[in-house]
Amino acid sequence: MSTAQARPTKDELPEDTRALAWLRALGPQGRRAFAGAFGGYGLDSYDFFTLPLSMVAIAAYFSLDSGQTGLLTTVTLVVSAVGGAIAGVLADRIGRVRALMITVITYAVFTVLCGFAPNYETLLVFRALQGLGFGGEWAVGAILVAEYVSGKHRGRTLGAVQSAWAAGWALAVIVYTLVFQFLDADTAWRVMFWTGALPALLIVYVRRNVSDAPAAAEQRRTSTEKGSFTAIFRGDLLRTTFFATLLSTGVQGGYYTLATWVPTYLKSDRGLTVIGTGGYLTFLITGAFTGYLTGGYLTDRLGRKKNVAIFAVLSALAILTYVNIPDTADWLLLLLGFPLGFCMSAIFSGFGSFLSELYPTAVRGTGQGFTYNTGRAVGAVFPTLVGFLATSWGVGGALVFGSVGYGLAVLALLGLPETRGRELL
């Protein structure tokens, strides 16, 4: 006589503890969404870094001072707040995938147009319009993936998406090194912007292969208040929106100060060549990539708030150390690039999961798009201040101002709840 053995339920199955369990847990559709978001954010990063890497050549070509060059970054980040807010609303109203394609097309087109700018004013306008797409891509892509993954794996999954920023940055440095080696500076900076057409290839993949998470798409269709700005400023969400914006301001103020001015610091204050700068940035970017992945893991293990707090403090300390290395110890500058990149990136790993978990499905795109990109816009004041302060303090001395942003981030955490393990509703 035989007895039938009941098949174990999903909850009774042994947990997959292998290294890429989070990726397998996404399923085929989720992995395609991950690939689309990773590619979009990586190319977003590539297009952003065409400016900081070319800044010295652009300043020489148009005879700009440090304040004017800093404004090129600031206007990109300020306008990105508008782009992020619009993209968030679109993500809630027309879907994550459609909004993602719109943002990628926008930042690619205006990056290319920057290469044709005949004067500083035109470049400033094109760079501002590039910010519309730049501001929206991350928020939309992060939500697209977040809605496919469980709370248990969300931190490391979104941390892996964030690591695309380092991958795009690395690609930009490689192209920059080659282009500036073989072309004169007056032509090379334009070619850098023209290579910003690369994201057009991604659109084909996303259009054919990526779709919104079915459960989230259904819930969004039945909602009566999707994509509403007023909703994120009512009731409990008002407090969430305020402190999430303050958190984004602090972290991004510190980050973009470094991302914008470190290449110039290495050239102007430390006297490095194009090849030398590329070598130093390799350590910084390798640290950044490792930091994104490590921070994602720690976000799931320690919680969203602890991860941000730990790396905010470490990032501030890393800045202070980096800019006070003696001129006779450039080898130490090289080595410290790794922990600097690691800390300033690990703090971002929890952002995709944290902000997604703070808002309900109907206004998730609006909430995340607004808080992240408004914080980016206000934080954009930091690079401009560094540019003006650099005339009297030097770029290295002015970079210290970036540590103030990380202090703001720690204060913002006091007003936000811990969301580790929260399932998206």
Side-chain angles (χ1 to χ4, degrees):
M1 181 177 178
S2 63
T3 58
Q5 191 171 16
R7 178 177 295 179
T9 65
K10 182 178 180 181
D11 291 337
E12 293 171 338
L13 291 172
E15 181 181 355
D16 187 349
T17 57
R18 290 173 292 178
L20 295 178
W22 59 268
L23 185 60
R24 285 185 288 273
L26 283 171
Q29 283 187 309
R31 286 192 288 272
R32 287 193 288 270
F34 175 86
F38 186 95
Y41 197 45
L43 293 170
D44 196 11
S45 169
Y46 179 91
D47 280 11
F48 173 80
F49 278 106
T50 53
L51 175 63
L53 291 169
S54 305
M55 191 175 285
V56 172
I58 292 170
Y61 186 88
F62 291 121
S63 300
L64 308 178
D65 58 34
S66 58
Q68 289 174 306
T69 52
L71 185 60
L72 285 169
T73 295
T74 296
V75 74
T76 305
L77 301 179
V78 169
V79 176
S80 75
V82 178
I86 293 172
V89 173
L90 287 176
D92 287 335
R93 294 188 176 182
I94 67 174
R96 313 323 191 193
V97 172
R98 289 181 181 177
L100 179 65
M101 290 192 293
I102 291 171
T103 61
V104 172
I105 290 171
T106 301
Y107 74 65
V109 167
F110 287 107
T111 298
V112 172
L113 288 177
C114 284
F116 293 99
N119 51 51
Y120 171 71
E121 292 75 18
T122 304
L123 178 61
L124 193 65
V125 170
F126 285 153
R127 192 64 183 178
L129 293 174
Q130 188 258 5
L132 290 174
F134 171 70
E137 194 285 330
W138 176 83
V140 176
I143 295 168
L144 171 65
V145 176
E147 291 175 340
Y148 270 104
V149 65
S150 69
K152 180 170 62 176
H153 291 144
R154 191 171 295 118
R156 68 200 75 182
T157 304
L158 271 296
V161 173
Q162 291 273 179
S163 72
W165 183 265
W169 189 2
L171 179 61
V173 170
I174 292 170
V175 174
Y176 155 80
T177 302
L178 293 173
V179 169
F180 275 80
Q181 231 2 62
F182 294 105
L183 298 174
D184 64 275
D186 289 350
T187 303
W189 71 264
R190 293 187 182 276
V191 173
M192 281 295 295
F193 282 119
W194 293 337
T195 61
L198 285 171
L201 300 175
L202 178 70
I203 295 298
V204 178
Y205 173 83
V206 172
R207 183 179 177 84
R208 292 180 177 178
N209 298 285
V210 182
S211 58
D212 291 359
E218 177 59 30
Q219 188 168 351
R220 190 175 60 252
R221 279 193 294 269
T222 59
S223 174
T224 58
E225 198 177 41
K226 55 188 177 182
S228 169
F229 272 122
T230 58
I232 66 172
F233 292 100
R234 289 203 303 259
D236 292 340
L237 289 184
L238 173 60
R239 176 187 175 91
T240 296
T241 299
F242 173 78
F243 283 105
T245 301
L246 184 62
L247 176 66
S248 297
T249 298
V251 172
Q252 295 187 92
Y255 179 86
Y256 283 109
T257 295
L258 293 171
T260 301
W261 287 106
V262 163
T264 299
Y265 169 68
L266 293 174
K267 287 182 180 179
S268 63
D269 285 32
R270 310 298 298 213
L272 299 181
T273 63
V274 168
I275 295 295
T277 299
Y280 278 70
L281 288 177
T282 297
F283 273 75
L284 190 67
I285 294 167
T286 303
F289 184 78
T290 309
Y292 283 127
L293 298 179
T294 304
Y297 175 78
L298 292 176
T299 292
D300 283 336
R301 290 299 299 270
L302 303 178
R304 296 10 176 172
K305 294 174 65 173
K306 283 184 180 179
N307 185 74
V308 172
I310 289 169
F311 286 107
V313 173
L314 291 178
S315 294
L317 292 175
I319 293 173
L320 295 173
T321 303
Y322 194 76
V323 300
N324 284 291
I325 295 173
D327 292 340
T328 56
D330 280 349
W331 62 271
L332 188 56
L333 190 75
L334 178 70
L335 294 179
L336 285 179
F338 184 91
L340 178 65
F342 183 94
C343 294
M344 65 189 257
S345 300
I347 194 173
F348 272 107
S349 294
F351 262 63
S353 53
F354 196 19
L355 296 182
S356 293
E357 291 160 354
L358 289 172
Y359 291 93
T361 300
V363 292
R364 184 167 295 127
T366 305
Q368 185 155 331
F370 176 85
T371 56
Y372 187 83
N373 289 289
T374 300
R376 178 187 270 166
V378 179
V381 173
F382 285 58
T384 297
L385 286 175
V386 169
F388 286 110
L389 291 173
T391 58
S392 56
W393 294 8
V395 176
L399 275 173
V400 174
F401 190 73
S403 62
V404 175
Y406 293 113
L408 287 178
V410 173
L411 289 176
L413 291 174
L414 299 176
L416 293 170
E418 176 56 59
T419 60
R420 181 178 57 167
R422 180 178 294 180
E423 296 301 335
L424 300 185
L425 302 175

